[in-house]
């Protein structure tokens, strides 16, 4: 094995390509993919010590794998946390967090504009096991404070939100959580550590869907939790070992290599998104654009402070129309006229992706619930990729000109 100790104080760009795990005895320069479910043990006594946790060493793929460890170490280095633990998907990571931290009778506070599956996981699945969740305004910290109970264990936020890009104040929510003896977890999917490092603003745990910008090329499902070793190793490790929402080595390897280009992709895609948002804002067929990088965004200053001065790569916009049916027809026309942009339900890809939240991600809500969430039938979400912005604008123009 070729040992190489990294010096302290390295920049995030360096960590993204260097942090991980030592090379094997073969000295590979690019990280190896260890596609194995079991690991050879030198003898029975060593196996016994490793299984008892008395000695370090790989045993079985549900417990750990060198490629998964490399992914975890690199992600923790980027987020600036002591440790990280991989999961099969972003939702697997949130499930792991809930199983590790919560028990029947505990209370959780979440933003009411969290990712739809997250809302369902807390309201429906954890609800079945006696965990109670209150849903409050994304942007009004006073509502989070007012929702606190003696049993509150966790505040869980996501910023910016999907699809309307509402931004919450991470430091303010961390203070509210800590004053009440609770923890703050932040889903950092949309910004990634290239733009936003919630641990520096007081968050205790950071959730990732590696499926999105960490992979960055729309290839595999992955997830992770970042945080202090006391929780990652001692609380979540046993959960993943027994419950099995483990990250596959192949997916870990894909995302590990994806992270090497994370910052330059996030910068380039944020710049593209800003250019498209500015253009849409001036378009006569567009009623409103939601993008944290625009001065017109209600939390623009907070977003710029929290997100390294960049808006991220996801924006939404309302097309003009009339009643909900006319708005939906107009939105569909814009989406269906795209010849370059993909119609798909992912985001975080180098390929731009367009969706109609009102009939997809938020299609199962009632019209009243959708209106309360601000998701009209004329709303379109665009996750901006790496194509030339002139081509993205031309692609959107095709449909917009028809309205
Ligand atoms: C996609 C997404 C998730 C879920 O991640 P999966 O990898 O799809 O399970 C969680 N949070 C946010 C903000 C997401 O966009």
């Amino acid at each position: 094995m070729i040992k190489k100790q990294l010096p302290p104080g390295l920049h995030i760009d360096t960590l993204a390509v260097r942090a991980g795990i030592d090379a094997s005895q073969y000295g590979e320069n690019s990280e190896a993919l260890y596609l194995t479910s079991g690991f050879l043990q030198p003898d029975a006594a060593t196996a016994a010590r490793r299984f008892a946790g008395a000695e370090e060493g790989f045993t079985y793929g549900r417990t750990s794998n060198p490629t998964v460890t490399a992914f975890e170490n690199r992600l923790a280095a980027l987020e600036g946390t002591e440790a990280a633990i991989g999961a099969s998907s972003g939702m697997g990571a949130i499930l792991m967090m809930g199983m590790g931290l919560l028990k029947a009778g505990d209370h959780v506070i979440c933003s009411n504009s969290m990712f739809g599956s997250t809302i369902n996981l807390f309201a429906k699945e954890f609800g079945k096991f006696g965990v109670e969740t209150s849903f409050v305004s994304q942007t009004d910290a006073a509502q989070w404070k007012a929702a606190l109970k003696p049993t509150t264990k966790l505040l869980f936020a996501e910023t910016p939100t999907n699809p309307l890009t509402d931004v919450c104040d991470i430091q303010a929510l961390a203070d509210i959580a800590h004053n009440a003896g609770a923890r703050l977890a932040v889903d950092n999917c949309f910004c990634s550590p290239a733009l936003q490092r919630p641990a520096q603003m007081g968050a205790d745990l950071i959730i990732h869907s590696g499926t999105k910008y960490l992979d960055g090329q729309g290839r595999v499902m992955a997830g992770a939790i970042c945080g202090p070793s006391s929780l990652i190793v001692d609380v979540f490790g046993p959960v993943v070992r027994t419950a099995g929402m483990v990250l596959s080595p192949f997916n870990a390897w894909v995302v590990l290599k994806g992270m090497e280009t994370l910052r330059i992709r996030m910068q380039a895609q944020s710049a593209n998104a800003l250019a498209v948002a500015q253009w849409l804002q001036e378009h006569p067929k567009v009623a409103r654009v939601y993008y944290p990088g625009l001065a017109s965004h209600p939390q623009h200053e907070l977003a710029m402070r929290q997100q390294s001065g960049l808006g991220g790569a996801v924006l939404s916009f309302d097309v003009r129309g009339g009643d909900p049916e006319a708005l939906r027809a107009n939105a569909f026309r814009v989406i269906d006229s795209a010849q370059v942009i993909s119609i798909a339900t992912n985001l975080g890809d180098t390929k731009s992706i367009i969706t109609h939240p009102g009939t997809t991600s938020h299609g199962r809500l009632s019209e009243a619930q959708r209106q309360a969430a601000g998701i009209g039938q004329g709303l379109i979400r665009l996750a901006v990729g790496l194509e030339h912005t002139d081509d993205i604008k031309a692609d959107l123009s095709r449909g917009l000109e028809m309205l």
Side-chain angles (χ1 to χ4, degrees), residues 355-392:
T355 50
H356 184 250
T359 50
T360 58
S361 53
H362 297 72
R364 272 175 290 180
L365 302 181
S366 68
E367 190 57 39
Q369 280 177 311
R370 261 197 301 277
Q371 272 172 12
I375 299 178
Q377 290 297 329
L379 186 74
I380 293 174
R381 187 189 78 189
L382 182 67
V384 180
L386 282 179
E387 302 93 341
H388 197 287
T389 50
D390 288 350
D391 295 334
I392 298 172

Side-chain angles (χ1 to χ4, degrees), residues 20-100:
I21 195 169
D22 295 324
S24 77
Q25 72 272 33
Y26 301 116
E28 66 280 356
N29 191 38
S30 176
E31 292 77 2
L33 166 53
Y34 293 93
L35 211 49
T36 180
S37 22
F39 295 84
L40 292 173
Q41 304 300 313
D43 51 59
T46 307
R49 283 195 303 278
R50 287 180 180 174
F51 270 88
E55 179 182 311
E56 283 206 13
F58 295 100
T59 53
Y60 184 58
R62 187 160 23 77
T63 303
S64 56
N65 170 288
T67 310
V68 176
T69 301
F71 159 81
E72 292 166 342
N73 290 348
R74 181 166 292 174
L75 182 59
L78 295 188
E79 283 290 3
T81 57
E82 280 174 6
I85 185 163
S88 51
S89 67
M91 293 317 301
I94 300 173
L95 173 66
M96 192 202 305
M97 174 174 72
M99 287 184 70

Side-chain angles (χ1 to χ4, degrees), residues 89-91 115 158 187 189-190 209 211-212 221-222 347:
S89 67
M91 293 317 301
F115 187 63
E158 172 190 316
D187 182 330
C189 225
F190 267 52
S209 165
T211 319
K212 311 294 169 56
M221 305 293 297
L347 62 92

Side-chain angles (χ1 to χ4, degrees), residues 25-245:
Q25 72 272 33
Y26 301 116
E28 66 280 356
N29 191 38
S30 176
E31 292 77 2
L33 166 53
Y34 293 93
L35 211 49
T36 180
S37 22
F39 295 84
L40 292 173
Q41 304 300 313
D43 51 59
T46 307
R49 283 195 303 278
R50 287 180 180 174
F51 270 88
E55 179 182 311
E56 283 206 13
F58 295 100
T59 53
Y60 184 58
R62 187 160 23 77
T63 303
S64 56
N65 170 288
T67 310
V68 176
T69 301
F71 159 81
E72 292 166 342
N73 290 348
R74 181 166 292 174
L75 182 59
L78 295 188
E79 283 290 3
T81 57
E82 280 174 6
I85 185 163
S88 51
S89 67
M91 293 317 301
I94 300 173
L95 173 66
M96 192 202 305
M97 174 174 72
M99 287 184 70
L101 294 184
L102 304 170
K103 60 180 187 329
D106 284 346
H107 176 245
V108 178
I109 308 173
C110 276
S111 155
N112 56 19
S113 41
M114 295 291 276
F115 187 63
S117 301
T118 305
I119 291 182
N120 280 340
L121 179 60
F122 278 91
K124 294 195 183 137
E125 307 303 335
F126 286 142
K128 287 195 288 202
F129 295 94
V131 171
E132 185 200 355
T133 304
S134 304
F135 294 95
V136 298
S137 156
Q138 166 79 0
T139 51
D140 182 2
Q143 282 194 27
W144 293 72
K145 199 168 175 183
L148 286 169
K149 298 181 179 195
T151 50
T152 305
K153 292 282 162 41
L154 179 68
L155 276 61
F156 189 23
E158 172 190 316
T159 181
T161 56
N162 176 18
L164 294 177
T165 72
D166 287 329
V167 174
C168 66
D169 186 333
I170 296 173
Q171 183 70 62
L173 296 185
D175 292 344
I176 291 169
H178 297 156
N179 287 336
R183 291 191 174 97
L184 174 68
V186 173
D187 182 330
N188 200 23
C189 225
F190 267 52
C191 279
S192 89
L195 303 191
Q196 174 171 278
R197 299 215 260 174
Q200 291 181 342
M201 295 171 251
D204 301 283
L205 293 168
I206 296 124
I207 295 285
H208 272 290
S209 165
T211 319
K212 311 294 169 56
Y213 292 101
L214 300 184
D215 169 12
Q217 288 154 82
R219 297 167 293 189
V220 297
M221 305 293 297
I225 310 178
C226 305
S229 302
S230 57
L231 290 175
I232 299 295
V233 178
D234 302 336
V235 176
F236 302 126
V239 172
V240 78
R241 256 199 314 278
T242 44
M245 64 288 269

